[in-house]
Amino acid sequence: MSKKNIAIIFGGASSEHEVSRRSASCIIENINREKYNVILIGITKSGKWYLCNGNIKSIINGSWENRHDNLPAFISPDTSTQGIIVLKDDNYSIIKVDAVIPVLHGKNGEDGTIQGLLQLAKIPFVGCDLLSSATCMDKIDTNIILTHCGIQKAKFTYTTAFDFNKDKELCIEAIETNIGNYPMFVKPSSAGSSVGVSKANNRSELIDAIKIAIKEDSRVLIEENIEGQEVECAILGNDNPISSIVGEIAPSNEFYDYEAKYQSENSKLYIPAHIDSQVSKNLREIAIKAYKAMGCSGLSRVDFFIQKETNNILLNEINTFPGFTSISMYPKLFGASGIDCTTLIDNLINLALERTL
Ligand SMILES: Nc1ncnc2c1ncn2[C@@H]1O[C@H](COP(=O)(O)OP(=O)(O)O)[C@@H](O)[C@H]1O
Ligand SMILES: [Mg+2]
């Protein structure tokens, strides 16, 4: 069988650009080279696309951007191209691709934008499609859809920059009426890596928290504060997905903020999570139900809280292209479930090729 051409897209105009470079490095290192030729496309933080010849080290540290042999390259939306257009001087060439792995986190990558382009181009790609990527990226939409499907969530409400700026008093009163007690969690509806997320302990902190959140997105989600464990379940598959065992995160800070996620050495992952087997079984079923309700395919990581005392399972969010670094929960959870990283990537590519766009 001839080798398939797989394009790995990394970086991106996103606040999670650096994490994407590390996730891509893990995939580049572990993809089966006997089955796949790998083509690398790097997107800079400002949104420039290049065919990248850099090695893994230069991708991790970002120095690939300074290479003189970087050529502008992009996916053609034209279905007859089925690949990447590479520009050199006044000429262009085409590299055909069999599938794309958009290893992009957050805005402009995990939110349906790239997925839409690949759907237009009719090029198979790993992960959720346009609609499920876009709705999972938006926390308000996710909450509305999942609540409608009977999946338990923290009590929530939402506001917009426009309403908040028009009448702060009215806006705050409505939030207090809907949520009840402080503390509350305030989040930009569409963001990631805890950017713009704050815990508000009183009215004046709530006002500050909304001001912070609206810098990231004009739509803002407000939730009751949940006391409990944070646990995560990895899902793999299209119409008949499987769930991994459940992992737990123990943030080093008061909550899992940016520092605790990426900078602190003190945040811990436990695989399996410290939860009893019945809770784990129920949670895995809920994770699959939510994955299907959102129309996910390929992969996602479904994040939950297990509430103290009651052991209530509350869904927090779904990440359609979760961190895929060597120390990330997603590959680790499947590793612990008996699927090594090379097999996992192979499965993901097969799922992409199987799906009809
Ligand atoms: N309702 C909540 N109650 C308690 N903690 C929360 C709540 N919502 C979020 N958090 C904390 O904030 C972190 C980031 O929020 P999350 O919704 O996961 O956003 P992101 O997409 O940025 O990861 C979570 O990992 C958790 O530690
Ligand atoms: Mg999260």
Side-chain angles (χ1 to χ4, degrees), residues 78-143:
D78 184 322
T79 53
S80 65
T81 315
Q82 286 289 303
I84 301 160
I85 295 184
V86 184
L87 304 183
K88 191 173 184 191
D89 306 323
D90 286 341
N91 300 314
Y92 75 92
S93 57
I94 292 173
I95 305 174
K96 295 272 178 195
V97 298
D98 295 292
V100 170
I101 316 183
V103 193
L104 301 165
H105 307 307
K107 278 203 179 118
N108 303 314
E110 198 180 345
D111 59 354
T113 47
I114 290 270
Q115 290 75 12
L117 173 63
L118 293 165
Q119 281 171 226
L120 274 178
K122 290 209 177 302
I123 298 175
F125 61 94
V126 166
C128 292
D129 66 2
L130 186 171
L131 181 65
S132 53
S133 300
T135 44
C136 288
M137 185 74 205
D138 189 280
K139 295 184 201 303
I140 297 172
D141 287 1
T142 304
N143 281 8

Side-chain angles (χ1 to χ4, degrees), residues 139 154 185 187 191-195 197 223-226 230 255-256 261 305 316-317:
K139 295 184 201 303
F185 259 84
K187 318 179 196 183
S193 289
S194 302
V195 176
V197 176
E223 289 181 347
E224 66 174 321
N225 174 56
I226 303 299
E230 275 195 74
F255 69 95
Y256 208 32
K261 277 181 183 169
F305 299 111
N316 177 32
E317 60 158 347

Side-chain angles (χ1 to χ4, degrees), residues 14 31 41 48 61 106 113 139 197 201 216 222 244 262 351 356:
S14 154
I31 190 169
I41 296 187
K48 283 182 187 288
N61 67 25
T113 47
K139 295 184 201 303
V197 176
N201 292 297
E216 306 299 322
I222 301 101
S244 70
Y262 303 117
L351 289 165
T356 34

